[in-house]
Amino acid sequence: MLPLAQIARGMGHKVAGSDRSYDQGRTPEKFAWLAQNGFDLFPQDGSGIASSDQILIASAAVEDTVPEVAKARELGCARMSRAELLSAMFNEAGYSIAIGGTSGKSTVTGMIAWILSQAKYDPTVMNGAVMKNFADADNPFASARVGNPRIFVSEVDESDGSIALYKPTIGVLLNVSLDHKSIEELRVLFGNYLDASGCGVINFDNEEARHLAVKNAQSVSFAVDFPDADITVEPGSIQQSAFAIRAAVIDNRSKEAFPLTLPMPGLHNLSNALAAIAAVNAAGIDIGKAVYALGQFAGLGRRFDVVGTTPGDEGQDGITVIDDFGHNPEKCAATLRTLKGSPGRVIAFFQPHGYGPLKQMGDELAETFARELGADDITIMCDPVYYGGTVDRSEGTQRITDLITGHGGTARHIAQRGDCGDAIVEMAEPGDRIVIMGARDDTLTTFAHGLYDRLLERQSGGASRDEQ
């Protein structure tokens, strides 16, 4: 909702809002920034709805019992979903690029935004994560970029079916895999999305996406492992390190090669880079210019975001803490594979982002953590995020950690996140990589930084403890 509010205000609308997090005192710095930048904030008690001329914009997670919804209905206010407002602005743009798929949307959106801005196209961008290239002291929460409203780049969401609302000039499809909906539902949604796109940019490494490409009249394909894709990489050219990846990008249509150095690790990020390159090339930007711009791509907040590495003692490696948005099987697998690409034990902390999603994908999550992590690694999970509401809470995290153990992995369920932090600090050893994973909770970043600070204090012999 924050980037949508930023874009709406940037287009001249007066924007006010409420949020459970505001009432509960969470992430006060974010709400202070909103207040200082012209957004009126109200407690979530209906007091912000005072006129029938107002339009209520609510995310899919907001129940009809929330006071604002009831007050808006009483006054006869128009109501739009988050996706309805975003798609209206997106579809009104003269040129639009949508990024869809189960995983990687925010990263590819940030990459495309950075390439277009470097090419002086001044795009308006809607993202689900802070784009570090655009963040500064004036706007530390740069999950949106307000530029030319005629050039619009946005990630689009399939979880609530709202992807059907978008009519992009270029529609990127990264992958099709289990998340919030069944594979059968996803095939229909993504197939229709490609049909509505002027040009489809499709990942041929993903079998489901590749099958959908057959229906699309105009498309550009990309792949890391599929050598016949339009844009791919030269076999044997990939070089990986702990914090970067290099490869020779090949345009099979012109037979040209372009050396890419991407300052972020993992084969999944190489695939994300190819998606961004293919999308902007479909929009008319030279591949060489796109590759060069990606060499300065700073990444996104909470996407394999390295908080820090403690100093190593006597030839030993330090302990690295990483903040990551992984919350579904594919995202978690990509992060864990990247971690296992370099030596050292992995301590994976996972906070499920809700009871509903945990019930939907819990079995696949358990398989993912058991499969991707080794005998020396450990998964620690706390109870799911719960901010109130009527969701069924009968199935929790203990079932998932039991499944991981049943699949041969090592896992512990510790109900409270603070207690998880205590356990992690106690067990962490030189050379470990600690990854903090989860979604829908900005305080996970605070938790990750607090863990890092405690590890530094432990190493220096400090006795103080940050409250988690």
Side-chain angles (χ1 to χ4, degrees):
M1 294 295 284
L2 173 59
L4 181 63
Q6 289 177 289
I7 292 172
R9 190 171 186 279
M11 290 184 174
H13 300 286
K14 181 176 174 58
V15 180
S18 68
D19 195 295
R20 284 175 181 157
S21 296
Y22 178 58
D23 293 353
Q24 295 167 2
R26 291 183 291 116
T27 61
E29 70 285 348
K30 181 174 289 188
F31 292 106
W33 180 87
L34 282 165
Q36 292 163 6
N37 283 272
F39 297 88
D40 294 330
L41 304 180
F42 292 88
Q44 202 162 82
D45 59 4
S47 59
I49 306 294
S51 167
S52 61
D53 294 331
Q54 290 175 277
I55 301 173
L56 176 68
I57 314 296
S59 72
V62 173
E63 301 103 333
D64 288 343
T65 55
V66 169
E68 274 77 356
V69 178
K71 188 69 173 294
R73 187 187 304 116
E74 177 187 324
L75 293 179
C77 298
R79 179 176 176 180
M80 297 177 74
S81 69
R82 168 190 172 278
E84 285 171 340
L85 177 59
L86 174 59
S87 62
M89 295 189 292
F90 180 90
N91 292 336
E92 288 173 3
Y95 204 94
S96 56
I97 302 176
I99 299 87
T102 313
S103 301
K105 294 187 292 292
S106 296
T107 298
V108 175
T109 300
M111 288 176 168
I112 292 172
W114 177 241
I115 296 168
L116 290 177
S117 67
Q118 289 298 97
K120 310 301 182 185
Y121 282 101
D122 189 30
T124 289
V125 185
M126 169 74 184
N127 205 336
V130 172
M131 299 175 284
K132 292 183 178 180
N133 287 101
F134 302 115
D136 55 28
D138 292 333
N139 183 12
F141 308 109
S143 49
R145 183 183 190 276
V146 180
N148 184 346
R150 304 298 297 163
I151 304 173
F152 208 120
V153 179
S154 180
E155 63 172 281
V156 294
D157 192 8
E158 83 289 346
S159 65
D160 58 358
S162 63
I163 192 172
L165 299 173
Y166 298 86
K167 313 297 179 187
T169 309
I170 296 171
V172 181
L173 179 55
L174 301 175
N175 37 59
V176 181
S177 62
L178 185 69
D179 194 341
H180 298 86
K181 295 185 178 295
S182 70
I183 288 293
E184 291 73 19
E185 291 175 295
L186 292 173
R187 287 169 181 161
V188 173
L189 282 170
F190 286 124
N192 291 340
Y193 162 69
L194 289 177
D195 287 344
S197 301
C199 176
V201 175
I202 302 164
N203 181 7
F204 269 32
D205 283 330
N206 183 265
E207 184 177 0
E208 291 284 348
R210 189 167 68 246
H211 287 325
L212 291 175
V214 176
K215 297 174 58 181
N216 195 253
Q218 183 179 352
S219 64
V220 177
S221 59
F222 67 93
V224 174
D225 297 319
F226 199 88
D228 294 331
D230 295 323
I231 296 176
T232 184
V233 295
E234 183 179 332
S237 70
I238 300 173
Q239 301 176 29
Q240 298 192 65
S241 64
F243 302 111
I245 190 165
R246 295 175 176 81
V249 176
I250 304 296
D251 184 348
N252 275 324
R253 300 162 301 179
S254 66
K255 307 303 180 186
E256 292 180 284
F258 306 88
L260 169 68
T261 298
L262 188 67
M264 54 198 311
L267 288 171
H268 64 293
N269 279 320
L270 177 58
S271 179
N272 289 337
L274 295 181
I277 291 165
V280 299
N281 186 243
I285 294 176
D286 291 342
I287 290 179
K289 291 181 179 179
V291 167
Y292 179 80
L294 287 177
Q296 288 81 47
F297 182 62
L300 281 78
R302 303 216 64 234
R303 270 51 174 190
F304 207 90
D305 197 353
V306 177
V307 174
T309 300
T310 63
D313 290 330
E314 300 178 359
Q316 293 180 316
D317 292 330
I319 301 169
T320 299
V321 178
I322 296 160
D323 188 20
D324 190 77
F325 187 67
H327 63 279
N328 65 34
E330 187 159 328
K331 287 183 173 72
C332 292
T335 297
L336 297 175
R337 285 173 193 163
T338 300
L339 287 165
K340 295 303 293 181
S342 54
R345 181 176 67 160
V346 174
I347 301 174
F349 168 81
F350 182 77
Q351 176 179 281
H353 62 290
Y355 283 89
L358 192 63
K359 186 174 182 180
Q360 167 79 12
M361 66 183 84
D363 290 7
E364 289 77 12
L365 277 168
E367 291 174 7
T368 297
F369 280 90
R371 181 186 67 244
E372 301 296 339
L373 294 179
D376 295 334
D377 305 320
I378 184 169
T379 301
I380 297 176
M381 292 190 180
C382 67
D383 286 343
V385 169
Y386 178 68
Y387 299 137
T390 57
V391 67
D392 177 10
R393 291 186 284 158
S394 60
E395 283 197 22
T397 308
Q398 182 69 59
R399 184 180 78 88
I400 311 306
T401 53
D402 288 345
L403 284 171
I404 294 172
T405 302
H407 287 305
T410 302
R412 290 175 61 185
H413 168 233
I414 303 175
Q416 299 300 315
R417 192 173 74 183
D419 294 335
C420 292
D422 293 343
I424 291 169
V425 170
E426 183 177 345
M427 73 173 64
E429 300 173 352
D432 285 349
R433 279 80 49 73
I434 300 168
V435 59
I436 306 303
M437 307 172 79
R440 293 185 186 168
D441 185 356
D442 291 340
T443 66
L444 282 167
T445 295
T446 305
F447 177 66
H449 282 263
L451 277 179
Y452 179 66
D453 290 343
R454 291 178 64 189
L455 290 168
L456 288 175
E457 290 171 1
R458 189 189 74 172
Q459 186 171 6
S460 64
S464 64
R465 177 193 185 279
D466 289 338
E467 292 297 325
Q468 302 297 319

